Amino acid sequence: MNVITAWMEKYFVPLAAKIGGQKHLVALRDAFIGTLPATMAGAIAVMLNAIVRDMPAKFIQGYDGSTIPVIKQIIAVNGFMWSGTLAVVGIIFAFSWGYNLARAYQVNELAGGIVSLAALLQGVGFSFSTSAAMKLPAAAAKIINVGSADTGISYADGALNVGGWGWLKLGQLDGNAYFVIMVVGGLATIIYAKLMIRDITIKMPDSVPPAVAKAFTAIIPAAVALYATAIMYYIFSLTLGKNGDVLISWVQKTIADPFLHIGQSLGAIILVTFLVSLMWLFGLHGSNVMAPVLEGIWGVGLLKNTNVYDRSGMAGVKEAIKAGNGDAYMWVRGSFDSYAWFGGVGGTITLLIVILVFSKRADYRMVAKLGIAPSVFNINEPVMFGLPIVLNPIFFIPFILSPIVGVTIGWLATAANLVDPVVVATPWVIPPFLYSLMSTGYDWRAPIVTLVSFIAAIAIWTPFVLAANATKEVD
């Protein structure tokens, strides 16, 4: 074990630390984190609808919350919450990505966010942007506001005429846009940042207010960056996009969906779980280092599940998973936390329970007593560095094996339809068992699956804690 540890410290740790400190990956991680206020607000709205609309329908035949006073209004308000958060999370992520990437280059962050957002919107196809007409009965035409200058809609001779306007497609502004944003938004922001660093800007007199000067300074770099992405979109429209595809939908079908489907394999899930644990064992924040992968693949899957769940309920999610059309996925970001990372990465709350029951070491017991409360809320840094688990050869095997067994149990249970898939982004500080209950739209079977993983983790940790008793004189 000492030989393996020495080899890892010499070769693996420096490489992992270098990757974890790479400024583009750090910016990408921070961009995902930056969307949390909006995504969690939207998740809370979906969660509330699950409580008042979906969960009662499982137990009360004919229940329809949309017809019940107060509940009807709650559902409607939550619908507006969803529309401004999860439905357009791609826009939010685009700004966050540009902002954090510009900050990494130490240039104007606000302009960086705007450039990234504009680069996304350049490639979003409108539902229509030219005039269109359709036959419509006069009675039906009265339902909508025709003849209004701000709508561009008129009704004449039995036809509804729509001219000179359109709308953005929500399907290209939600999680579907993430992969395009990472590339196109990142490219535009990097071009902008490089030009800013080289001072290819408009120089303003010192008498100009700073806010105005900063805006004018960013004009040339931003224009060049956005022209570069506009040309890229145009070339795509002449080549791969000749059949009417826009870049976002093409990338989703040819690049993103394959990655998301690979992420559904148990092998890929186990590999990522292993790497996260391995990094933690050497003092690196594995979840943060792997955040671009966790959020870019399984995080996008969770957003898709949440959107389908909000529209069609759990039945719609299951149908989409069965269809395999990329609208919903069996294993998503919250699945890791539900069935493996309870108490933090490594399932460390189970370690503390085993220590309090079996350990005779006073130092371990003291750390366990102090760390049990934070671990209930999935905060395990006091244990990782206080026990410690980091660089502790006795705990290498159980720290890696326990979450692997947990994700395997969770994956098998979900694949066998013994438990509903995770559909709600639940705050990570929610205690175990309650977390899996909430994240699956209140499926009562989810905490049972978590309990099975919990017991398995205790069984894995126990012999190693007993072995640790012999490594130091018992107090």
Side-chain angles (χ1 to χ4, degrees), residues 31 90-104 107-121 181 184-186 188-190 192-193 218 222 226:
I91 290 178
I92 298 167
F93 175 67
F95 181 84
S96 181
W97 174 218
Y99 182 96
N100 283 283
L101 193 54
R103 184 171 64 178
V107 296
N108 186 342
E109 299 98 334
L110 178 60
I114 292 172
V115 166
S116 178
L117 175 57
L120 165 67
L121 295 178
I181 293 167
V184 178
T189 307
I190 290 171
Y192 153 77
L226 291 174

Side-chain angles (χ1 to χ4, degrees), residues 411-446:
W411 187 90
L412 291 173
T414 310
N417 289 317
L418 298 177
V419 65
D420 290 340
V422 170
V423 293
V424 178
T426 306
W428 64 272
V429 292
I430 298 295
F433 302 103
L434 180 59
Y435 184 100
S436 58
L437 177 69
M438 296 170 66
S439 64
T440 55
Y442 294 89
D443 182 357
W444 60 271
R445 299 169 298 177

Side-chain angles (χ1 to χ4, degrees), residues 121-137:
L121 295 178
Q122 283 178 333
V124 175
F126 284 83
S127 289
F128 55 86
S129 57
T130 57
S131 61
M134 65 187 79
K135 293 294 182 179
L136 193 69

Side-chain angles (χ1 to χ4, degrees), residues 352 355-356 363-373 383 387:
L352 301 185
I355 288 174
L356 293 174
D363 56 340
Y364 278 14
R365 293 181 64 84
M366 178 60 70
V367 173
K369 290 176 182 178
L370 294 174
I372 192 71
V383 179
L387 201 58

